Amino acid sequence: MIKAEKIQILQSWNINHSWSLFLDRDGIINRKIEDGYVTSWEYFEFMPDALSALQIIAQKFNRLFIITNQSGIGKGLMTEQNLQNIHKKMIEILEQHNIHVNRIYYCPHDYEKETCNCRKPEIGLGLKAKKDFPEIDFDKSIMVGDSVSDIEFGDRLGMKLCYIGKMPFEDVPNLICFPSLLDFALHVAQIW
Ligand SMILES: [Mg+2]
């Protein structure tokens, strides 16, 4: 998809400040650890340009949410407290850059041991966000992620979809693909 097409689709969504943005965490905000988990702050590394991208995004959207699968908890590789410590430090740095995240929602379950309704692509965490923030309108929301499960999650909730990475899908309506979060942010900044 060429730049003009992306701009055209973004424009057709009629995005404005009232919209909500849902972000995946690993691979979008911080580097994903392949075959592993960010179990403590020492393993947390922001993606290059993530802070610059989020600074632009935070000015454009009223509400930012992070939706993240953290099965390392269910597997016993980390505790909920470990995760909360990581998020506390991450939020501190984001706030220092004037990036306000309204809330982080995570699924702690190990999909190999139990089924749950909150592990993406299940929509439990999206519904929880809607309960906490009734002003969320999924029609006026974008899900940004780097996994098929992120896109399925957003699609099931009727959100618009942005995939960061090389397009693994064909012919999904309301889906745009960007090489990086910064590229997405710059496109958004160009339309309003
Ligand atoms: Mg991810």
Side-chain angles (χ1 to χ4, degrees):
M1 194 183 286
I2 59 165
K3 186 169 180 174
E5 285 177 82
K6 292 182 196 183
I7 294 279
Q8 206 177 16
I9 298 175
L10 273 177
Q11 276 172 338
S12 74
W13 290 353
N14 291 315
I15 310 169
N16 62 41
H17 195 66
S18 72
W19 281 48
S20 305
L21 193 74
F22 290 79
L23 294 154
D24 170 42
R25 198 198 80 181
D26 296 327
I28 298 293
I29 295 175
N30 60 279
R31 269 194 206 283
K32 185 190 269 180
I33 298 181
E34 290 304 331
D35 302 321
Y37 300 88
V38 178
T39 53
S40 72
W41 181 246
E42 62 179 314
Y43 301 116
F44 185 98
E45 187 190 344
F46 279 103
M47 290 293 283
D49 297 331
L51 290 169
S52 329
L54 290 168
Q55 278 181 317
I56 299 170
I57 287 167
Q59 286 174 23
K60 297 289 174 186
F61 293 90
N62 230 352
R63 286 173 293 276
L64 290 189
F65 301 100
I66 295 173
I67 307 279
T68 179
N69 288 346
Q70 295 296 332
S71 60
I73 294 172
K75 291 180 193 298
L77 301 170
M78 61 196 287
T79 62
E80 299 223 22
Q81 191 57 54
N82 294 145
L83 185 71
Q84 279 157 18
N85 291 343
I86 293 165
H87 286 168
K88 188 166 174 266
K89 291 204 167 74
M90 177 183 82
I91 290 291
E92 264 171 36
I93 295 178
L94 293 175
E95 291 284 347
Q96 283 163 13
H97 289 78
N98 294 319
I99 300 156
H100 179 63
V101 173
N102 292 72
R103 202 158 294 179
I104 302 173
Y105 293 94
Y106 62 88
C107 166
H109 303 113
D110 176 2
Y111 53 93
E112 284 170 347
K113 283 191 234 153
E114 55 190 325
T115 51
C116 65
N117 67 0
C118 59
R119 183 178 168 82
K120 290 175 289 183
E122 299 301 323
I123 59 172
L125 296 180
L127 299 178
K128 207 169 175 183
K130 170 78 181 161
K131 205 173 170 196
D132 295 341
F133 298 84
E135 61 274 31
I136 291 172
D137 180 348
F138 290 127
D139 277 345
K140 294 180 175 178
S141 297
I142 303 176
M143 178 67 203
V144 179
D146 68 338
S147 298
V148 174
S149 61
D150 297 317
I151 298 307
E152 266 187 52
F153 164 85
D155 191 37
R156 288 182 192 180
L157 287 164
M159 296 187 199
K160 308 291 186 276
L161 310 165
C162 289
Y163 184 81
I164 306 298
K166 259 196 165 174
M167 182 80 111
F169 313 94
E170 274 175 39
D171 297 331
V172 178
N174 289 320
L175 172 74
I176 316 177
C177 192
F178 297 94
S180 69
L181 187 63
L182 183 60
D183 192 56
F184 164 70
L186 294 172
H187 275 80
V188 167
Q190 210 172 318
I191 57 163
W192 101 92

